Amino acid sequence: MSQLLRVQCFNVSRDGFGAGEGQSLDRPFGHADPTPLWSWAGATASWVNRTDPGGTRGLDDYLTRDHTRDIGAEIMGRNKFGPQRGPWENHEWRGWWGDTPPFRTPVFVLTHHERPSFTLADTTFHFLDATPAEALARAKQAADGRDVRLGGGVATVREFLEADLVDTVHIAVAPVDLGRGERLWESHTDLLDRFHLETVPSPSGVTHLLFWRR
């Protein structure tokens, strides 16, 4: 079976924004409170960042399991790694996730300003100045036969969609409006020329949109 490029558990507001305006070191989602976007996932038993026993089962948990299932590498944009812009001024700062990042795979960070790779726990970060197709080829090689997750942020997901490289997309639409920020789409129907869609409402209040290539 061929390797897939998958968007998993990507969260947007009802008005189509995946992050707010004014991202900073202290506010990765800008003006937006990330809690309404992510609370459905954080409540599940299978969420990757869960450190205590418990959590909900059911539909949401079923979908969060796919976040790590058969994933061998991740691609992310520089804005997901951190808020810095331009040349790297501090190589000691190593991302928002502390000493044990939740990825546990090779991670390829797209940036116009490369820096040396480094490893934290069982995650290795590589920094690439590459086209989407070039980055995907590197990530697939590192994934060793497993799939590649496209982790975001918004601009990176849009870039890979526009390059027609994405195979499956899972978007969780939260019942909240952000009003401004980084917009994933004007409407999810923008993808229906290339993808089938299944819409699954959840008791948690989010609506899961599951896309797969035609």
Side-chain angles (χ1 to χ4, degrees), residues 101-174:
F103 308 105
R104 304 184 181 97
T105 67
V107 174
F108 295 86
V109 181
L110 300 182
T111 173
H112 295 303
H113 301 276
E114 296 184 37
R115 60 181 278 186
S117 301
F118 63 84
T119 299
L120 292 172
D122 46 6
T123 297
T124 298
F125 291 94
H126 305 281
F127 299 85
L128 303 181
D129 184 3
T131 67
E134 291 167 345
L136 181 57
R138 284 282 304 274
K140 282 186 172 180
Q141 183 178 28
D144 194 25
R146 291 182 291 170
D147 293 341
V148 176
R149 182 174 56 235
L150 182 60
V154 173
T156 300
V157 173
R158 288 177 61 96
E159 185 178 14
F160 278 76
L161 285 170
E162 289 164 4
D164 201 26
L165 295 172
V166 183
D167 296 295
T168 67
V169 182
H170 166 215
I171 305 293
V173 182

Side-chain angles (χ1 to χ4, degrees), residues 29-102:
F29 283 81
H31 83 280
D33 177 1
T35 302
L37 297 177
W38 286 93
S39 59
W40 72 272
T44 65
S46 299
W47 184 234
V48 65
N49 290 323
R50 176 170 290 283
T51 58
D52 58 311
T56 63
R57 298 289 182 180
L59 172 65
D60 289 343
D61 185 64
Y62 178 82
L63 290 170
T64 58
R65 290 179 220 163
D66 279 345
H67 185 262
T68 56
R69 179 185 56 80
D70 201 33
I71 294 294
E74 167 150 341
I75 298 171
M76 67 171 66
R78 183 168 174 178
N79 289 14
K80 180 174 177 181
F81 179 81
Q84 301 92 343
R85 304 293 183 268
W88 299 95
E89 297 180 358
N90 180 9
H91 284 193
E92 296 303 313
W93 194 83
R94 297 188 168 192
W96 269 309
W97 304 280
D99 293 333
T100 54

